[in-house]
Amino acid sequence: MSLTILAIESSCDETSASVCVDGKILSNFIANQSVHEKYGGVVPELASRAHMQNIVPVVDTALSAAGLQLSAVDAIAFTQSPGLIGSLLVGTQFAKSLALALNKPLIAVHHMQAHVLANLIPDERPAFPFLCLTVSGGHTQIVLCKSPTELRVIGETIDDAAGEAFDKSAKLLGLPYPGGPLIDKYAATGDPKRFKFPEPQIPGLDFSFSGLKTSILYFLKNAGTTNIYKEEFLADEASQKKFIEENIHDICASIQDRIISILLNKLKKAAAETGITHLCLAGGVSANSGLRKAFTELGEKMHWKTYIPAFQYCTDNAAMIAITAYYKYQAGQFAAMDTVPSARAEW
Ligand code: KG4
Ligand code: ZN
């Protein structure tokens, strides 16, 4: 008997729905919310309203792209946590209503587990146990994955996430939100070794990015002369602007290079400590072309087998919710009708 799952993702500013049959993704439709662009970040109230407007057409589109009707669906999955509470509420209420109306089981999915399991979407998959470096706008984690339903965070950021490091650096450079993809674009033709930013010394497998942000801030305020804060180093605004304009490619390449080395040095340490040789990337920042290339090259050098989800499964999407729900269904992990969303959720 085949198993058809309809999944909904609405944790932040993307409204997405996906249909998955027997672990194969048939459709994955994503509506982006451009309404936040002029505010330089996601405005929670506007995100919830846009989800409410988008959710019916998004689900309809995902179903028709899969060539299926609602009556063919065997289970409804949704992102329960973590995320913006108003955004999560829209997806949760919609999924619960559908499950109730269709009299089908409900599956609650953890967004971070789903980012990791995006690696199980293609036919060529990592073998268990594998390690996953999950890098998104809100999280930076090294996850040890023993099975689709047994995951443990063995390292994470103690302050900013890698995506925040990209976005905040972009903001300092005067680039629009979200700045990660733009840094990636400028970095492609820049010299990554031109400017040196410090690598934090954090014990164990944890990460820190707040020091990097401070060092970039003073570097730009000093028009590239030093990373140190001292009144006498501060350049006037016109010189700061000119320095950025003339060096944007090299600055972006150097920032990206440091973020990548912070991430991959910890991943290398995690692989050495656990002896695990199947390694994955996940999350929005894994769309970064420099990280994808450096990760693949490191894998070749270390004799790892490396896996990276396709672009459309790196940033927020419902296909990763659907694949996670597929495994949760098989493990009998269903949600009760009184399930509520949670902005933060422990693993
Ligand atoms: O996973 P995601 O879509 O949403 C969260 O769950 O947070 O990740 C969004 C993050 C943003 O910080 C965005 O700037 C970053 O992923 N991002 C990138 C790239 N594409 C998206 N960062 C660097 N390079 C990219 N190409
Ligand atoms: Zn995400």
Side-chain angles (χ1 to χ4, degrees):
M1 213 187 75
S2 85
L3 171 62
T4 302
I5 293 172
L6 170 66
I8 292 160
E9 152 66 31
S10 72
S11 64
C12 190
D13 61 340
E14 267 103 18
T15 321
S16 178
S18 169
V19 175
C20 156
V21 176
D22 296 334
K24 290 259 162 291
I25 302 299
L26 296 196
S27 67
N28 177 47
F29 186 72
I30 304 168
N32 298 108
Q33 303 179 357
S34 54
V35 64
H36 308 288
E37 267 163 27
K38 60 176 178 283
Y39 300 101
V42 177
V43 184
E45 179 57 28
L46 295 181
S48 324
R49 288 182 201 199
H51 282 306
M52 284 200 277
Q53 283 172 345
N54 292 343
I55 196 142
V56 172
V58 163
V59 167
D60 269 349
T61 309
L63 280 167
S64 54
L68 293 174
Q69 304 217 315
L70 255 187
S71 53
V73 171
D74 298 309
I76 314 286
F78 68 100
T79 305
Q80 183 195 16
S81 65
L84 299 171
I85 194 67
S87 294
L88 289 166
L89 260 171
V90 178
T92 305
Q93 289 308 108
F94 192 85
K96 279 161 82 166
S97 310
L98 266 185
L100 202 62
L102 299 171
N103 196 24
K104 297 292 178 191
L106 187 66
I107 302 170
V109 172
H110 193 293
H111 183 87
M112 299 314 294
Q113 179 182 4
H115 268 305
V116 175
L117 298 195
N119 282 288
L120 302 184
I121 292 176
D123 288 338
E124 205 187 320
R125 295 172 207 153
F128 296 103
F130 64 79
L131 288 178
C132 183
L133 172 66
T134 314
V135 273
S136 74
H139 294 82
T140 301
Q141 301 179 327
I142 298 177
V143 180
L144 195 159
C145 190
K146 280 196 193 164
S147 80
T149 52
E150 288 173 284
L151 294 86
R152 190 159 60 87
V153 178
I154 59 171
E156 63 190 324
T157 184
I158 57 168
D159 41 55
D160 288 349
E164 273 176 294
F166 272 105
D167 295 339
K168 287 180 177 174
S169 304
K171 200 168 180 178
L172 293 174
L173 291 165
L175 301 174
Y177 176 87
L182 286 170
I183 295 207
D184 191 356
K185 193 175 134 210
Y186 284 117
T189 49
D191 174 4
K193 302 295 171 205
R194 168 111 183 266
F195 304 113
K196 284 262 165 287
F197 297 108
E199 178 157 3
Q201 302 303 314
I202 308 295
L205 298 175
D206 288 338
F207 303 89
S208 166
F209 289 99
S210 68
L212 176 64
K213 182 186 65 193
T214 311
S215 121
I216 294 167
L217 172 74
Y218 290 120
F219 172 78
L220 296 176
K221 279 193 171 298
N222 300 336
T225 47
T226 159
N227 294 329
I228 302 161
Y229 174 77
K230 266 198 181 161
E231 291 272 336
E232 65 257 40
F233 296 149
L234 299 182
D236 58 74
E237 264 189 45
S239 314
Q240 290 174 25
K241 248 181 124 177
K242 187 161 174 274
F243 172 71
I244 292 173
E245 265 166 32
E246 286 174 355
N247 299 284
I248 186 84
H249 296 269
D250 290 348
I251 298 172
C252 287
S254 302
I255 292 172
Q256 182 170 299
D257 186 66
R258 177 50 81 211
I259 295 175
I260 293 171
S261 72
I262 293 173
L263 292 170
L264 294 185
N265 283 343
K266 286 292 167 128
L267 190 62
K268 217 156 91 178
K269 193 168 178 197
E273 283 179 12
T274 58
I276 291 174
T277 55
H278 281 226
L279 282 90
C280 302
L281 282 188
V285 180
S286 58
N288 182 272
S289 52
L291 177 61
R292 293 169 89 91
K293 184 163 174 273
F295 173 67
T296 308
E297 283 171 3
L298 181 64
E300 279 161 16
K301 196 172 129 200
M302 305 300 291
H303 304 290
W304 298 338
K305 279 215 50 118
T306 53
Y307 303 84
I308 312 175
F311 273 106
Q312 69 270 30
Y313 303 136
C314 287
T315 45
D316 289 350
N317 67 88
M320 67 185 194
I321 306 300
I323 195 78
T324 306
Y326 170 72
Y327 289 102
K328 290 191 87 164
Y329 188 104
Q330 288 170 36
Q333 296 180 353
F334 299 104
M337 269 300 161
D338 59 359
T339 301
V340 288
S342 162
R344 292 180 169 275
E346 298 304 324
W347 282 58

mmCIF file of all heavy atoms in Angstrom, residues 116 119-120 122-132 143-148 275-280 304-307:
data_model
loop_
_atom_site.group_PDB
_atom_site.id
_atom_site.type_symbol
_atom_site.label_atom_id
_atom_site.label_comp_id
_atom_site.label_asym_id
_atom_site.label_seq_id
_atom_site.Cartn_x
_atom_site.Cartn_y
_atom_site.Cartn_z
ATOM 1 N N VAL A 116 18.122 18.375 8.468
ATOM 2 C CA VAL A 116 19.086 17.260 8.398
ATOM 3 C C VAL A 116 18.580 16.186 7.428
ATOM 4 O O VAL A 116 19.318 15.712 6.556
ATOM 5 C CB VAL A 116 19.304 16.631 9.802
ATOM 6 C CG1 VAL A 116 20.193 15.401 9.710
ATOM 7 C CG2 VAL A 116 19.883 17.659 10.776
ATOM 8 N N ASN A 119 18.715 15.463 3.486
ATOM 9 C CA ASN A 119 19.755 14.629 2.867
ATOM 10 C C ASN A 119 19.248 13.233 2.497
ATOM 11 O O ASN A 119 19.939 12.498 1.798
ATOM 12 C CB ASN A 119 20.959 14.518 3.805
ATOM 13 C CG ASN A 119 21.815 15.770 3.769
ATOM 14 O OD1 ASN A 119 22.504 16.010 2.792
ATOM 15 N ND2 ASN A 119 21.731 16.587 4.812
ATOM 16 N N LEU A 120 18.050 12.866 2.971
ATOM 17 C CA LEU A 120 17.501 11.542 2.627
ATOM 18 C C LEU A 120 16.541 11.639 1.432
ATOM 19 O O LEU A 120 15.933 10.649 1.041
ATOM 20 C CB LEU A 120 16.771 10.940 3.834
ATOM 21 C CG LEU A 120 17.603 10.762 5.109
ATOM 22 C CD1 LEU A 120 16.782 10.058 6.189
ATOM 23 C CD2 LEU A 120 18.879 9.959 4.836
ATOM 24 N N PRO A 122 17.308 12.519 -1.939
ATOM 25 C CA PRO A 122 17.767 11.880 -3.188
ATOM 26 C C PRO A 122 17.971 10.361 -3.039
ATOM 27 O O PRO A 122 17.962 9.839 -1.925
ATOM 28 C CB PRO A 122 19.112 12.562 -3.463
ATOM 29 C CG PRO A 122 19.480 13.291 -2.248
ATOM 30 C CD PRO A 122 18.334 13.343 -1.311
ATOM 31 N N ASP A 123 18.152 9.705 -4.172
ATOM 32 C CA ASP A 123 18.364 8.249 -4.122
ATOM 33 C C ASP A 123 19.694 7.904 -3.474
ATOM 34 O O ASP A 123 19.829 6.900 -2.788
ATOM 35 C CB ASP A 123 18.312 7.663 -5.544
ATOM 36 C CG ASP A 123 16.885 7.684 -6.070
ATOM 37 O OD1 ASP A 123 15.952 7.729 -5.237
ATOM 38 O OD2 ASP A 123 16.709 7.698 -7.306
ATOM 39 N N GLU A 124 20.698 8.770 -3.741
ATOM 40 C CA GLU A 124 22.004 8.495 -3.121
ATOM 41 C C GLU A 124 22.049 9.161 -1.754
ATOM 42 O O GLU A 124 22.059 10.395 -1.643
ATOM 43 C CB GLU A 124 23.129 9.044 -4.006
ATOM 44 C CG GLU A 124 24.417 8.280 -3.734
ATOM 45 C CD GLU A 124 25.598 8.887 -4.466
ATOM 46 O OE1 GLU A 124 25.406 9.299 -5.629
ATOM 47 O OE2 GLU A 124 26.675 8.949 -3.864
ATOM 48 N N ARG A 125 22.003 8.337 -0.702
ATOM 49 C CA ARG A 125 21.852 8.873 0.661
ATOM 50 C C ARG A 125 23.028 8.490 1.541
ATOM 51 O O ARG A 125 23.667 7.466 1.300
ATOM 52 C CB ARG A 125 20.605 8.261 1.314
ATOM 53 C CG ARG A 125 19.360 8.671 0.639
ATOM 54 C CD ARG A 125 18.177 7.902 1.184
ATOM 55 N NE ARG A 125 17.190 7.864 0.116
ATOM 56 C CZ ARG A 125 16.289 6.940 -0.048
ATOM 57 N NH1 ARG A 125 16.215 5.930 0.782
ATOM 58 N NH2 ARG A 125 15.460 6.994 -1.054
ATOM 59 N N PRO A 126 23.260 9.268 2.608
ATOM 60 C CA PRO A 126 24.316 8.892 3.553
ATOM 61 C C PRO A 126 23.915 7.632 4.332
ATOM 62 O O PRO A 126 22.732 7.364 4.510
ATOM 63 C CB PRO A 126 24.370 10.101 4.496
ATOM 64 C CG PRO A 126 23.017 10.741 4.393
ATOM 65 C CD PRO A 126 22.555 10.505 2.993
ATOM 66 N N ALA A 127 24.929 6.874 4.757
ATOM 67 C CA ALA A 127 24.653 5.693 5.592
ATOM 68 C C ALA A 127 24.663 6.134 7.048
ATOM 69 O O ALA A 127 25.389 7.055 7.423
ATOM 70 C CB ALA A 127 25.725 4.641 5.338
ATOM 71 N N PHE A 128 23.866 5.467 7.876
ATOM 72 C CA PHE A 128 23.852 5.777 9.317
ATOM 73 C C PHE A 128 25.008 5.041 10.000
ATOM 74 O O PHE A 128 25.319 3.927 9.610
ATOM 75 C CB PHE A 128 22.528 5.330 9.936
ATOM 76 C CG PHE A 128 21.344 6.084 9.380
ATOM 77 C CD1 PHE A 128 20.514 5.488 8.443
ATOM 78 C CD2 PHE A 128 21.088 7.373 9.797
ATOM 79 C CE1 PHE A 128 19.429 6.186 7.923
ATOM 80 C CE2 PHE A 128 20.003 8.080 9.275
ATOM 81 C CZ PHE A 128 19.172 7.479 8.339
ATOM 82 N N PRO A 129 25.647 5.624 11.018
ATOM 83 C CA PRO A 129 25.413 6.973 11.501
ATOM 84 C C PRO A 129 26.142 7.981 10.623
ATOM 85 O O PRO A 129 27.224 7.705 10.128
ATOM 86 C CB PRO A 129 26.042 6.947 12.898
ATOM 87 C CG PRO A 129 27.157 5.959 12.788
ATOM 88 C CD PRO A 129 26.711 4.937 11.787
ATOM 89 N N PHE A 130 25.543 9.170 10.447
ATOM 90 C CA PHE A 130 26.247 10.233 9.732
ATOM 91 C C PHE A 130 26.247 11.510 10.570
ATOM 92 O O PHE A 130 25.494 11.618 11.544
ATOM 93 C CB PHE A 130 25.655 10.456 8.340
ATOM 94 C CG PHE A 130 24.236 10.946 8.285
ATOM 95 C CD1 PHE A 130 23.925 12.293 8.502
ATOM 96 C CD2 PHE A 130 23.186 10.075 7.978
ATOM 97 C CE1 PHE A 130 22.625 12.753 8.429
ATOM 98 C CE2 PHE A 130 21.867 10.536 7.906
ATOM 99 C CZ PHE A 130 21.596 11.877 8.133
ATOM 100 N N LEU A 131 27.139 12.427 10.192
ATOM 101 C CA LEU A 131 27.182 13.732 10.851
ATOM 102 C C LEU A 131 26.609 14.760 9.892
ATOM 103 O O LEU A 131 26.849 14.677 8.686
ATOM 104 C CB LEU A 131 28.625 14.139 11.176
ATOM 105 C CG LEU A 131 29.344 13.401 12.302
ATOM 106 C CD1 LEU A 131 30.775 13.931 12.428
ATOM 107 C CD2 LEU A 131 28.615 13.568 13.638
ATOM 108 N N CYS A 132 25.870 15.722 10.438
ATOM 109 C CA CYS A 132 25.331 16.780 9.584
ATOM 110 C C CYS A 132 25.677 18.142 10.173
ATOM 111 O O CYS A 132 25.428 18.399 11.347
ATOM 112 C CB CYS A 132 23.816 16.630 9.450
ATOM 113 S SG CYS A 132 23.104 17.865 8.328
ATOM 114 N N VAL A 143 25.097 17.699 14.036
ATOM 115 C CA VAL A 143 24.127 16.712 14.509
ATOM 116 C C VAL A 143 24.625 15.310 14.183
ATOM 117 O O VAL A 143 25.046 15.044 13.056
ATOM 118 C CB VAL A 143 22.747 16.951 13.835
ATOM 119 C CG1 VAL A 143 21.720 15.946 14.316
ATOM 120 C CG2 VAL A 143 22.258 18.370 14.095
ATOM 121 N N LEU A 144 24.578 14.440 15.206
ATOM 122 C CA LEU A 144 24.923 13.033 14.987
ATOM 123 C C LEU A 144 23.602 12.301 14.753
ATOM 124 O O LEU A 144 22.709 12.339 15.599
ATOM 125 C CB LEU A 144 25.643 12.490 16.218
ATOM 126 C CG LEU A 144 26.388 11.171 16.058
ATOM 127 C CD1 LEU A 144 27.435 11.039 17.155
ATOM 128 C CD2 LEU A 144 25.515 9.959 16.061
ATOM 129 N N CYS A 145 23.499 11.693 13.597
ATOM 130 C CA CYS A 145 22.236 11.097 13.187
ATOM 131 C C CYS A 145 22.397 9.572 13.116
ATOM 132 O O CYS A 145 23.067 9.056 12.224
ATOM 133 C CB CYS A 145 21.885 11.685 11.820
ATOM 134 S SG CYS A 145 20.256 11.317 11.270
ATOM 135 N N LYS A 146 21.801 8.856 14.091
ATOM 136 C CA LYS A 146 21.931 7.391 14.138
ATOM 137 C C LYS A 146 20.876 6.700 13.301
ATOM 138 O O LYS A 146 21.054 5.570 12.842
ATOM 139 C CB LYS A 146 21.772 6.925 15.588
ATOM 140 C CG LYS A 146 23.015 7.097 16.419
ATOM 141 C CD LYS A 146 22.841 6.262 17.660
ATOM 142 C CE LYS A 146 23.851 6.562 18.717
ATOM 143 N NZ LYS A 146 23.454 6.035 20.009
ATOM 144 N N SER A 147 19.709 7.343 13.185
ATOM 145 C CA SER A 147 18.615 6.840 12.343
ATOM 146 C C SER A 147 17.739 8.062 12.065
ATOM 147 O O SER A 147 17.950 9.118 12.675
ATOM 148 C CB SER A 147 17.825 5.757 13.092
ATOM 149 O OG SER A 147 16.928 6.355 14.001
ATOM 150 N N PRO A 148 16.736 7.967 11.174
ATOM 151 C CA PRO A 148 15.932 9.164 10.883
ATOM 152 C C PRO A 148 15.260 9.754 12.125
ATOM 153 O O PRO A 148 14.923 10.933 12.141
ATOM 154 C CB PRO A 148 14.890 8.651 9.892
ATOM 155 C CG PRO A 148 15.508 7.465 9.251
ATOM 156 C CD PRO A 148 16.362 6.832 10.299
ATOM 157 N N GLY A 275 34.788 9.294 14.544
ATOM 158 C CA GLY A 275 35.206 8.283 13.570
ATOM 159 C C GLY A 275 34.195 8.104 12.441
ATOM 160 O O GLY A 275 34.286 7.157 11.654
ATOM 161 N N ILE A 276 33.231 9.019 12.334
ATOM 162 C CA ILE A 276 32.189 8.912 11.299
ATOM 163 C C ILE A 276 32.719 9.472 9.967
ATOM 164 O O ILE A 276 33.365 10.524 9.947
ATOM 165 C CB ILE A 276 30.906 9.642 11.759
ATOM 166 C CG1 ILE A 276 30.279 8.850 12.916
ATOM 167 C CG2 ILE A 276 29.904 9.804 10.610
ATOM 168 C CD1 ILE A 276 29.096 9.515 13.578
ATOM 169 N N THR A 277 32.411 8.766 8.873
ATOM 170 C CA THR A 277 32.972 9.167 7.572
ATOM 171 C C THR A 277 31.914 9.569 6.533
ATOM 172 O O THR A 277 32.253 9.899 5.411
ATOM 173 C CB THR A 277 33.833 8.036 6.975
ATOM 174 O OG1 THR A 277 33.010 6.859 6.910
ATOM 175 C CG2 THR A 277 35.068 7.761 7.803
ATOM 176 N N HIS A 278 30.626 9.498 6.923
ATOM 177 C CA HIS A 278 29.585 10.010 6.025
ATOM 178 C C HIS A 278 29.134 11.353 6.585
ATOM 179 O O HIS A 278 28.629 11.414 7.715
ATOM 180 C CB HIS A 278 28.397 9.047 5.927
ATOM 181 C CG HIS A 278 28.682 7.896 5.011
ATOM 182 N ND1 HIS A 278 27.800 7.464 4.049
ATOM 183 C CD2 HIS A 278 29.772 7.112 4.900
ATOM 184 C CE1 HIS A 278 28.345 6.460 3.382
ATOM 185 N NE2 HIS A 278 29.536 6.221 3.888
ATOM 186 N N LEU A 279 29.346 12.423 5.813
ATOM 187 C CA LEU A 279 29.078 13.770 6.311
ATOM 188 C C LEU A 279 28.145 14.544 5.381
ATOM 189 O O LEU A 279 28.270 14.437 4.156
ATOM 190 C CB LEU A 279 30.395 14.540 6.500
ATOM 191 C CG LEU A 279 31.119 14.122 7.785
ATOM 192 C CD1 LEU A 279 32.052 12.975 7.513
ATOM 193 C CD2 LEU A 279 31.844 15.281 8.402
ATOM 194 N N CYS A 280 27.255 15.318 5.995
ATOM 195 C CA CYS A 280 26.241 16.056 5.229
ATOM 196 C C CYS A 280 26.246 17.530 5.599
ATOM 197 O O CYS A 280 26.654 17.897 6.696
ATOM 198 C CB CYS A 280 24.842 15.541 5.572
ATOM 199 S SG CYS A 280 24.619 13.800 5.271
ATOM 200 N N TRP A 304 36.145 11.262 3.135
ATOM 201 C CA TRP A 304 34.755 11.151 3.605
ATOM 202 C C TRP A 304 33.871 10.936 2.392
ATOM 203 O O TRP A 304 34.241 11.279 1.269
ATOM 204 C CB TRP A 304 34.269 12.465 4.236
ATOM 205 C CG TRP A 304 34.990 12.932 5.442
ATOM 206 C CD1 TRP A 304 35.735 12.204 6.315
ATOM 207 C CD2 TRP A 304 35.015 14.289 5.928
ATOM 208 N NE1 TRP A 304 36.221 13.027 7.312
ATOM 209 C CE2 TRP A 304 35.794 14.296 7.101
ATOM 210 C CE3 TRP A 304 34.449 15.495 5.499
ATOM 211 C CZ2 TRP A 304 36.021 15.458 7.847
ATOM 212 C CZ3 TRP A 304 34.673 16.641 6.231
ATOM 213 C CH2 TRP A 304 35.453 16.624 7.397
ATOM 214 N N LYS A 305 32.649 10.440 2.651
ATOM 215 C CA LYS A 305 31.594 10.510 1.631
ATOM 216 C C LYS A 305 30.764 11.718 1.994
ATOM 217 O O LYS A 305 30.294 11.835 3.140
ATOM 218 C CB LYS A 305 30.742 9.240 1.630
ATOM 219 C CG LYS A 305 31.438 8.151 0.850
ATOM 220 C CD LYS A 305 30.536 7.225 0.053
ATOM 221 C CE LYS A 305 29.508 7.768 -0.848
ATOM 222 N NZ LYS A 305 29.522 7.531 -2.233
ATOM 223 N N THR A 306 30.625 12.658 1.074
ATOM 224 C CA THR A 306 29.924 13.902 1.414
ATOM 225 C C THR A 306 28.607 14.041 0.641
ATOM 226 O O THR A 306 28.502 13.579 -0.501
ATOM 227 C CB THR A 306 30.810 15.135 1.108
ATOM 228 O OG1 THR A 306 31.248 15.059 -0.241
ATOM 229 C CG2 THR A 306 31.996 15.210 2.042
ATOM 230 N N TYR A 307 27.642 14.679 1.296
ATOM 231 C CA TYR A 307 26.302 14.850 0.716
ATOM 232 C C TYR A 307 25.818 16.273 0.978
ATOM 233 O O TYR A 307 25.980 16.787 2.087
ATOM 234 C CB TYR A 307 25.311 13.873 1.368
ATOM 235 C CG TYR A 307 25.736 12.433 1.238
ATOM 236 C CD1 TYR A 307 26.638 11.881 2.161
ATOM 237 C CD2 TYR A 307 25.269 11.634 0.211
ATOM 238 C CE1 TYR A 307 27.058 10.562 2.049
ATOM 239 C CE2 TYR A 307 25.684 10.307 0.091
ATOM 240 C CZ TYR A 307 26.574 9.783 1.008
ATOM 241 O OH TYR A 307 26.989 8.490 0.895
#
